[in-house]
Amino acid sequence: MKRVLIISPYFPPVNTADMQRVRMSLPYFEANGWQAEVVAVDPAYTDLPQDKLLVESLPAGTKIHLIKALGKKWTSKLGFGSISYRSWWFFRHKVNQLLKEGGFDLIYFSTTQFQVCTLGAYWKKRFKVPYVIDMQDPWHSEYYRDKPKEQQPPKYWLSYRLNKFLEPKAMNEVGGLISVSENYIEILKDRYPRLKNTPAETITFGAFEPDMKIAAEHTGEFTHLLDATFKNIVYIGRGGMDMYNSISPVFEALRLGLAAEPDLFKDLRLYFIGTSYAPNGQGSATILPLAKEYGIEKNVVEITYRIGYYHTLQTLRQADGLFIPGSDDPQYTASKIFPYILTHKPLMAIFNAKSSAIAILKEFGLKDAYSYDETPGLLSKIDSFFKLILNEDAAVPEYNANAIQKYSAQMMTKRQCDLFNKVTFTS
């Protein structure tokens, strides 16, 4: 049995998107010949929401090494408040201890806190252990360079320059790449010629059926967010102006529906939940201002604060219909699509035509998966989806069984392990 040491700064019960791949893969590593241990930051040193139910999904006996981090109060004043910078030295110290003891065949960075990945080259040089990086998002990106300042992330000037400097430190020695988007890998191979012969795989997040069971078992513990007197279509995930191209036709179709058939469309309500990464009470609405531009704000609810992962699943289950908007960035692939599919609720998705999400959803047999830039008659298609929900004519989706198996967490873990084997064989 080979051994892999996983670096995941955020880990259950901390509720973040970038630890989900590891969490969903842990039950299946050993069946594929790999014994996994995790090094993570102690939740006491993070300020992000926690969901204690996430721990229930972890295999019994999972070995987790928790480390400390510097306090955010002072480091953030210097522009280094992220957990990656605050925990960097502690990761170095702890993993040094573990690697000195020996027995690990691979180090696996699965996180969007990319700065810790710079340690991979150091560990490879010192301990001769190869490493793989999971590119769940772009690290150094040119996407925001030509965007107005109000659309750029906080401290963009500093982060852009740091990322441009740090990314090569990790990529020059990396043994393998995993990414949710083929585009991410192509960009890196163009940027770093040595990667052209490096093992790389595009592997999405998987559909993890056990999560639905956990959500159902704890139904009574969740606050009910939806108004049952309406027909509710729900999206749960981040907001932002980069999603306006996907959301605008939905708002336009609702505006037209309210004007043409007010008695019918007045009963429709669109929910956008968890749209900001800011702490509870500090998030700024990014969707409701757009709704106001269309004059439909009475039919749109935006809840900026994040809710727990299983609260999210249960809220999706309570909805009459679901909606997934995509970014105007063609590289964007929403990792959230599989929980939506597992609910078996009527679903509509709108993405950039170049996003891989559309092709994946079509594999499942989803009829209402559209591009905002290349779909003829898009407003009419959205209107038809609305009316199916309002008239209670929407059938329970029946998805392609082959796609369900292909994109299961179990199969996605096998593909990760296949890449691990390639990396360790060639290193």
Side-chain angles (χ1 to χ4, degrees):
M1 183 78 68
K2 294 181 180 179
R3 296 175 69 202
V4 58
L5 189 62
I6 301 175
I7 310 299
S8 179
Y10 292 124
F11 198 68
V14 179
N15 181 26
T16 62
D18 66 341
M19 61 81 197
Q20 297 289 9
R21 190 198 293 278
V22 173
R23 182 184 69 85
M24 295 177 185
S25 299
L26 282 170
Y28 309 112
F29 276 126
E30 289 202 8
N32 289 285
W34 284 86
Q35 185 180 74
E37 296 183 22
V38 180
V39 186
V41 176
D42 190 313
Y45 295 90
T46 74
D47 58 357
L48 295 181
Q50 297 186 22
D51 187 341
K52 67 183 190 312
L53 296 180
L54 288 166
V55 178
E56 292 190 14
S57 68
L58 302 178
T62 301
K63 189 173 286 189
I64 304 166
H65 307 275
L66 296 179
I67 63 169
K68 298 179 181 179
L70 297 174
K72 191 174 183 179
K73 180 179 179 181
W74 300 109
T75 56
S76 59
K77 292 182 179 180
L78 301 173
F80 296 94
S82 77
I83 198 69
S84 57
Y85 293 116
R86 294 191 291 117
S87 63
W88 190 93
W89 177 260
F90 297 93
F91 269 113
R92 185 179 187 271
H93 179 69
K94 181 62 180 179
V95 174
N96 280 354
Q97 291 181 339
L98 294 171
L99 295 179
K100 282 178 182 177
E101 296 170 4
F104 286 101
D105 300 279
L106 185 72
I107 298 168
Y108 182 31
F109 294 92
S110 188
T111 178
T112 55
Q113 299 299 310
F114 290 118
Q115 292 76 14
V116 300
C117 298
T118 58
L119 286 164
Y122 162 73
W123 288 324
K124 181 181 178 183
K125 181 179 180 180
R126 182 171 178 182
F127 298 101
K128 312 303 180 187
V129 179
Y131 62 98
V132 170
I133 297 178
D134 175 14
M135 300 297 297
Q136 298 181 22
D137 281 326
W139 184 348
H140 168 59
S141 172
E142 301 291 332
Y143 175 76
Y144 289 102
R145 281 203 72 185
D146 60 351
K147 297 290 188 291
K149 188 173 182 180
E150 64 272 13
Q151 294 186 31
Q152 294 176 347
K155 301 176 183 176
Y156 176 70
W157 186 92
L158 177 62
S159 63
Y160 174 84
R161 284 155 180 80
L162 282 171
N163 290 340
K164 187 174 183 179
F165 173 73
L166 293 173
E167 185 183 78
K169 305 292 184 186
M171 293 302 159
N172 287 338
E173 296 294 336
V174 71
L177 292 172
I178 289 173
S179 177
V180 296
S181 167
E182 186 175 351
N183 286 335
Y184 296 171
I185 292 176
E186 290 175 354
I187 289 171
L188 289 171
K189 288 188 173 184
D190 287 340
R191 192 177 290 163
Y192 308 103
R194 72 163 293 271
L195 295 180
K196 293 190 182 296
N197 297 317
T198 299
E201 289 289 340
T202 302
I203 305 175
T204 66
F205 282 27
F208 192 57
E209 188 70 47
D211 280 340
M212 306 308 294
K213 181 174 182 291
I214 294 173
E217 289 174 347
H218 295 272
T219 300
E221 301 175 22
F222 307 126
T223 302
H224 201 95
L225 299 176
L226 310 181
D227 187 339
T229 62
F230 289 85
K231 295 296 181 183
N232 299 307
I233 297 177
V234 175
Y235 163 70
I236 304 179
R238 75 165 182 86
M241 294 180 182
D242 64 310
M243 291 187 169
Y244 278 12
N245 284 339
S246 293
I247 296 173
S248 291
V250 173
F251 284 179
E252 174 65 5
L254 178 54
R255 184 188 70 80
L256 293 173
L258 286 166
E261 301 177 75
D263 288 341
L264 177 64
F265 277 82
K266 66 179 174 56
D267 293 327
L268 187 65
R269 180 167 283 183
L270 306 182
Y271 280 83
F272 295 82
I273 301 172
T275 53
S276 172
Y277 289 112
N280 196 352
Q282 300 180 30
S284 298
T286 56
I287 307 303
L288 196 56
L290 182 65
K292 291 179 179 177
E293 291 182 20
Y294 283 87
I296 59 168
E297 63 271 22
K298 291 183 179 179
N299 295 77
V300 175
V301 176
E302 180 176 9
I303 300 173
T304 60
Y305 61 83
R306 316 289 284 184
I307 62 175
Y309 181 73
Y310 293 100
H311 191 183
T312 292
L313 295 182
Q314 192 58 22
T315 302
L316 294 177
R317 287 160 54 94
Q318 292 165 346
D320 299 290
L322 306 176
F323 169 52
I324 311 177
S327 169
D328 58 18
D329 182 354
Q331 301 175 42
Y332 179 82
T333 59
S335 58
K336 65 181 75 69
I337 62 177
F338 298 114
Y340 282 69
I341 286 172
L342 288 175
T343 65
H344 289 275
K345 289 284 184 174
L347 171 62
M348 177 175 66
I350 301 178
F351 285 81
N352 183 299
K354 295 180 180 179
S355 171
S356 62
I358 293 178
I360 292 172
L361 290 166
K362 292 291 188 182
E363 281 189 66
F364 276 89
L366 181 68
K367 180 174 71 73
D368 295 303
Y370 307 119
S371 65
Y372 61 76
D373 43 352
E374 292 185 4
T375 301
L378 179 57
L379 292 180
S380 176
K381 295 178 188 298
I382 297 170
D383 179 75
S384 296
F385 181 78
F386 284 165
K387 287 178 177 175
L388 285 174
I389 302 298
L390 287 165
N391 294 320
E392 300 182 355
D393 289 335
V396 175
E398 291 293 334
Y399 294 119
N400 184 302
N402 291 331
I404 292 172
Q405 172 61 22
K406 177 180 177 180
Y407 290 101
S408 66
Q410 186 173 4
M411 184 58 66
M412 295 298 102
T413 307
K414 181 183 183 304
R415 292 186 60 198
Q416 290 170 73
C417 292
D418 288 345
L419 182 127
F420 294 172
N421 291 332
K422 289 180 184 177
V423 172
T424 55
F425 179 77
T426 57
S427 297

